[in-house]
Amino acid sequence: MTDTKIEITAELVRDLLRDQHPDLADRPVRLGARGWDNQLWRLGSDLAVRLPWATRSADDLLRKEYTWLPALAPRLPLPVPVPRRIGEPSAQFPRPWLVTTWVPGVSGDRAPATRAAEAADALAGFLTALHRPAPGDAPAGGHGRGGPLADRAEQFARQLASATEQGLITDPGAVRAVWDDAVAAPGWAGPALWLHGDLHPANVLTLDGTFCGVVDFGDLCAGDPAYDLAAPWLLLPDGAADRFHAAYQPAPDAATLRRARGWAVLQALGGLLVGEAGVRGEPGGKPTWGPPAQAALRRLTATVR
């Protein structure tokens, strides 16, 4: 159910298409996935319909994707869901929705990358292509994404305390050491670069042990690349981060890598808590988020001296 109390069904999707995009209405419709903000319905073999179903902010995120992603997608070396049509709010469904290309694969929280070298090269190639200077009217990151890491200190302290109280972390001091070092690093002095803004394991797709696509650009924004450069610790197998850093261009400086580690800790703590909520059957919880978050924290704290 959406927060507007409208149940999303295949029949509703067909009705919306008949009303606004009738040339697509005869294609087969079936449920593809239910994400944090949106439901994804397969539309034939090559398209999908994305409809917001949980958070009100999803409306603006869909419109942002429709505005910016078609221009960025051609330069990206991994497939992404490119918006083709937009659906406007109507009496049937009072929120915007998108028709996008369909990207096949399995989400990385369910099928983690196992081919370390191939996955590291694929991720580095994707972020090298994406991280280019953004125009002045590019969107700013929500919730501090791409901004100063220190602005998230309160969130870090709250999440670390919660994870420690729940017994999810055995060495909170090591986690804090990574964070403190990251906050102490010099800030980003370069131009604001395009960022994906949400590269957690559920937003990358895998096939045969490596990455085959990246989805959910609702948090697309401009800022410090360190935010996205947290991804190697969150997405790659053990020992693959060095390969990523060698392949990513231009090579990140030491300060950027320190900030990236801090963002990785923050994102891993969030994933750990969402995963535990899923184990407990709480609303919004996703049990598959816990294991990759735990692995990321293990990798990050193993380097604390």
Side-chain angles (χ1 to χ4, degrees), residues 82-108:
V82 184
R84 298 299 193 197
R85 314 274 186 94
I86 191 165
E88 295 296 343
S90 65
Q92 291 177 301
F93 190 75
R95 305 183 67 175
W97 45 278
L98 292 179
V99 177
T100 75
T101 56
W102 171 257
V103 182
V106 181
S107 63

Side-chain angles (χ1 to χ4, degrees), residues 21-82:
H21 301 287
D23 59 311
L24 301 177
D26 292 334
R27 290 182 168 223
V29 175
R30 67 185 188 279
L31 181 64
R34 289 187 176 93
W36 192 272
D37 295 309
N38 303 288
Q39 289 192 23
L40 193 67
W41 290 77
R42 296 286 305 273
L43 184 60
S45 61
D46 60 337
L47 296 176
V49 179
R50 288 181 64 197
L51 304 100
W53 76 303
T55 58
R56 294 304 306 181
S57 61
D59 297 19
D60 292 336
L61 302 185
L62 288 179
R63 291 192 183 279
K64 177 168 62 175
E65 287 190 50
Y66 184 74
T67 299
W68 293 103
L69 193 51
L72 294 174
R75 77 178 190 217
L76 302 178
L78 289 175
V80 301
V82 184

Side-chain angles (χ1 to χ4, degrees), residues 36 274 277-278 280-286:
W36 192 272
V274 171
R280 297 179 180 181
E282 298 173 6
K286 298 180 182 295

Side-chain angles (χ1 to χ4, degrees), residues 108-124:
D109 59 321
R110 298 180 181 277
T114 55
R115 293 163 55 195
E118 292 87 344
D121 290 347
L123 183 62

Side-chain angles (χ1 to χ4, degrees), residues 56-250:
R56 294 304 306 181
S57 61
D59 297 19
D60 292 336
L61 302 185
L62 288 179
R63 291 192 183 279
K64 177 168 62 175
E65 287 190 50
Y66 184 74
T67 299
W68 293 103
L69 193 51
L72 294 174
R75 77 178 190 217
L76 302 178
L78 289 175
V80 301
V82 184
R84 298 299 193 197
R85 314 274 186 94
I86 191 165
E88 295 296 343
S90 65
Q92 291 177 301
F93 190 75
R95 305 183 67 175
W97 45 278
L98 292 179
V99 177
T100 75
T101 56
W102 171 257
V103 182
V106 181
S107 63
D109 59 321
R110 298 180 181 277
T114 55
R115 293 163 55 195
E118 292 87 344
D121 290 347
L123 183 62
F126 175 81
L127 288 179
T128 293
L130 177 62
H131 288 174
R132 295 288 182 264
D137 58 344
H143 306 289
R145 289 174 169 88
L149 182 63
D151 290 353
R152 303 290 284 276
E154 183 177 341
Q155 178 188 353
F156 168 77
R158 184 174 63 252
Q159 291 185 337
L160 180 61
S162 179
T164 302
E165 289 169 4
Q166 295 180 55
L168 303 176
I169 294 177
T170 58
D171 190 355
V175 176
R176 179 169 289 281
V178 177
W179 172 265
D180 288 345
D181 178 72
V183 171
W188 176 247
L193 304 184
W194 277 117
L195 310 177
H196 177 276
D198 204 19
L199 281 174
H200 59 70
N203 283 343
V204 296
L205 303 179
T206 64
L207 180 67
D208 295 331
T210 189
F211 300 124
C212 64
V214 178
V215 298
D216 195 351
F217 283 74
D219 288 302
L220 182 73
C221 61
D224 178 2
Y227 189 85
D228 276 358
L229 292 176
W233 288 285
L234 297 163
L235 304 179
L236 294 176
D238 288 352
D242 287 346
R243 171 100 179 203
F244 169 89
H245 294 136
Y248 175 84
Q249 297 296 321

